[in-house]
Amino acid sequence: MQPPTVHLVGAGPGDPELLTLKAARLLQLADVVVHDRLVGDGVLSLVQPRARRIDVGKAPGRHAMRQDEINELLRRLAAPDRVVVRLKGGDPFVFGRGGEEALHLLRHGIAVEVVPGITAAAGCAASALIPLTHRGLATGVRFVTGHCREAEPLELDWRGLADPDTTLVVYMGLAHIDRIVAQLVAAGLPPATPAAAIAEGTTPRERVVRAPLATIAEAVRAARLGSPTLFVIGRVVEALALPVEVAVRPAPLAGLEVRGHG
Amino acid sequence: MQPPTVHLVGAGPGDPELLTLKAARLLQLADVVVHDRLVGDGVLSLVQPRARRIDVGKAPGRHAMRQDEINELLRRLAAPDRVVVRLKGGDPFVFGRGGEEALHLLRHGIAVEVVPGITAAAGCAASALIPLTHRGLATGVRFVTGHCREAEPLELDWRGLADPDTTLVVYMGLAHIDRIVAQLVAAGLPPATPAAAIAEGTTPRERVVRAPLATIAEAVRAARLGSPTLFVIGRVVEALALPVEVAVRPAPLAGLEVRGHG
């Protein structure tokens, strides 16, 4: 008999082909799937029709479950021999609040397994051909979130973030991008630092906007990018940006159909 | 007809189940697979017997190909309608030198597709139950490499790295862990900061050692951890560290066999 267990599973950045084999199998075995709004239909199409699906995400104009309600829902769903999957966009442990869910479950004696997912930074970087680290351009990479509660200031270590040798990836930064850019420039990051915004990365609706840091906010507004949009800031953004006639994009392979995509 | 294309594919952190669906299919379609030493047999077992396999990794006592030789090999292998897969441990764009290979290929008019992989930080964090970000403990995460050329100093922004609100992940840090710890402490990171070392994360040989930053190097030596070992430093290391009698670990699911594992 399986003890009560919840599988916290990363759904990856959007493209269902970027699920891990383990995540895909767990979705096929699941009795219950508790998912966020950002998990796409292509991923959810792997769930068996017999399985119960619970959407706890925030849909416009609808009540979204609070985090403590989700924690408690997962605890109640866990039962011996029941495969409970908590499916989260990206990776459960990177801005996914998976730690809070795991903590609540472990405290109640429920086993937790975490299946990592391709986080948006890796998915968008691959898709937009932006290496997150690159010899001579970036010795490391860091991920921060631009999200903050209403009426609260965005408190980040701007001096530390304004490091030209580190690639900076900002998750959920669309609402505050003007402030983020102003703070980075004030802290010493050159306004000419290359930047990119990737909206709906790895999906068929992906759009990439590139501009110097100083004008990226304006460029994103001009292009009317919506959520989710990820920002990548640093010299790596231009590392592979070759003239269009040189940079050939691959054609899709016949054997690689993207099931349920789009 | 497919134009000459090289697929730079992330093999993930070790567990073959953590390959993406896309990576697994590309391996099955590949005519040629150029791989590193750290890519395990479980992953390579997906390659068709008819495909050519080229190991460019550094085996102890053997000549490893230089990066420029690998770049040139990939360029020569690329041909119309030939599926060439460059398989790299983890993610091609996180300390994988995938950017250098992509740049060389693009400059020669060869198309490049990058398939992201689960990077070691995400794989090890999931496996060791360490959230990389967590409310109240870490507002972000950063990845650096502890690797440097012989006789060169390890030049990192220690002041910036010594941020107690950011989780620090050190790749390839085993050889220089004493120096890394000393520099972090000198830059102000409290010696009591929780740290973990994860060796061969996500494989059946995974071992996790936890200790305060001040003694992690000693603990790793006492446990005789070998390569690859990933370090995670920050308050998140203790976020889910509950008493053993509370933290239940899940049993493996019957339907989830790990093909080629071990």
Side-chain angles (χ1 to χ4, degrees):
Chain A
M1 197 189 70
Q2 275 282 325
T5 302
V6 172
H7 305 270
L8 297 181
V9 176
D15 180 355
E17 287 283 323
L18 296 180
L19 274 176
T20 63
L21 299 175
K22 192 166 190 177
R25 288 186 202 185
L26 271 167
L27 287 180
Q28 284 158 356
L29 289 171
D31 298 305
V32 191
V33 177
V34 178
H35 67 89
D36 295 320
R37 188 174 61 90
L38 279 180
V39 174
D41 291 340
V43 170
L44 291 174
S45 70
L46 294 175
V47 178
Q48 300 293 321
R50 66 166 179 79
R52 189 174 160 203
R53 289 191 202 182
I54 305 175
D55 181 354
V56 295
K58 197 186 292 182
R62 269 186 46 213
H63 168 74
M65 255 191 218
R66 290 198 320 265
Q67 187 60 51
D68 58 345
E69 292 172 327
I70 297 171
N71 296 350
E72 195 47 24
L73 171 68
L74 294 174
R75 185 186 71 78
R76 280 188 285 113
L77 286 171
D81 290 326
R82 183 189 285 165
V83 180
V84 179
V85 170
R86 169 66 172 122
L87 188 65
K88 305 174 84 73
D91 182 275
F93 275 173
V94 176
F95 307 123
R97 304 191 72 171
E100 291 167 70
E101 295 172 8
L103 186 58
H104 185 78
L105 295 165
L106 292 170
R107 277 183 176 152
H108 286 89
I110 294 164
V112 170
E113 181 194 48
V114 179
V115 179
I118 301 290
T119 189
C124 291
S127 194
L129 284 185
I130 299 171
L132 294 174
T133 66
H134 194 85
R135 288 225 155 182
L137 297 180
T139 57
V141 58
R142 67 191 290 178
F143 304 161
V144 298
T145 167
H147 180 76
C148 60
R149 281 178 243 188
E150 286 305 315
E152 273 184 30
L154 199 60
E155 283 184 28
L156 290 167
D157 168 25
W158 300 106
R159 280 291 291 279
L161 291 174
D163 172 10
D165 295 325
T166 296
T167 303
L168 176 62
V169 179
V170 183
Y171 286 67
M172 296 169 274
L174 198 58
H176 299 302
I177 186 63
D178 291 279
R179 212 176 345 154
I180 291 165
V181 168
Q183 298 265 28
L184 289 171
V185 171
L189 199 61
T193 303
I198 302 109
E200 300 191 74
T202 81
T203 76
R205 300 168 302 284
E206 172 177 308
R207 293 172 64 204
V208 182
V209 169
R210 289 165 202 258
L213 180 61
T215 57
I216 187 74
E218 202 181 306
V220 160
R221 274 191 295 272
R224 296 174 185 276
L225 297 192
S227 276
T229 286
L230 185 99
F231 291 88
V232 182
I233 300 166
R235 292 189 294 244
V236 292
V237 169
E238 296 299 320
L240 305 184
L242 299 176
V244 174
E245 65 271 22
V246 177
V248 190
R249 296 284 284 182
L253 281 181
L256 256 184
E257 274 142 57
V258 181
R259 293 170 307 172
H261 210 180
Chain B
M1 195 189 75
Q2 276 283 326
T5 301
V6 172
H7 305 270
L8 297 181
V9 176
D15 180 354
E17 286 283 323
L18 295 181
L19 273 176
T20 64
L21 299 176
K22 191 166 189 176
R25 288 185 202 186
L26 271 168
L27 287 180
Q28 283 158 356
L29 289 171
D31 298 306
V32 190
V33 176
V34 178
H35 66 90
D36 295 320
R37 189 175 61 90
L38 280 180
V39 174
D41 291 340
V43 170
L44 291 174
S45 70
L46 293 175
V47 177
Q48 300 292 323
R50 65 165 180 80
R52 187 174 160 202
R53 289 192 203 181
I54 305 175
D55 180 353
V56 294
K58 198 186 290 180
R62 267 187 46 213
H63 169 72
M65 253 190 220
R66 291 196 321 264
Q67 188 60 51
D68 58 345
E69 291 172 327
I70 297 171
N71 296 350
E72 195 48 23
L73 171 68
L74 294 174
R75 185 186 73 76
R76 279 188 284 112
L77 287 171
D81 290 324
R82 183 190 286 167
V83 180
V84 179
V85 170
R86 168 66 172 123
L87 188 66
K88 303 175 84 74
D91 181 275
F93 275 174
V94 176
F95 307 123
R97 304 190 73 170
E100 291 166 71
E101 294 172 8
L103 186 59
H104 185 77
L105 294 165
L106 291 170
R107 277 182 176 153
H108 286 89
I110 294 163
V112 171
E113 181 194 47
V114 179
V115 179
I118 301 289
T119 189
C124 292
S127 193
L129 284 185
I130 300 171
L132 294 174
T133 67
H134 195 82
R135 287 223 157 184
L137 297 181
T139 58
V141 58
R142 68 190 291 177
F143 304 162
V144 298
T145 167
H147 180 76
C148 62
R149 281 177 243 189
E150 286 305 316
E152 274 184 30
L154 198 58
E155 283 184 28
L156 290 167
D157 168 25
W158 300 106
R159 279 292 288 281
L161 291 174
D163 172 10
D165 295 325
T166 295
T167 304
L168 177 61
V169 179
V170 183
Y171 286 67
M172 295 169 274
L174 198 58
H176 299 301
I177 186 61
D178 291 279
R179 210 175 351 152
I180 291 166
V181 169
Q183 297 265 27
L184 289 171
V185 171
L189 198 61
T193 304
I198 303 110
E200 301 190 74
T202 81
T203 76
R205 299 168 302 284
E206 173 177 307
R207 292 172 65 203
V208 182
V209 168
R210 290 166 202 258
L213 181 61
T215 57
I216 188 73
E218 201 181 307
V220 160
R221 274 191 294 272
R224 298 175 185 275
L225 296 191
S227 277
T229 287
L230 185 96
F231 291 88
V232 182
I233 300 165
R235 292 190 295 245
V236 293
V237 168
E238 295 300 320
L240 305 184
L242 299 175
V244 174
E245 65 272 23
V246 178
V248 191
R249 294 285 286 184
L253 280 181
L256 256 183
E257 276 143 52
V258 180
R259 294 172 306 174
H261 211 178

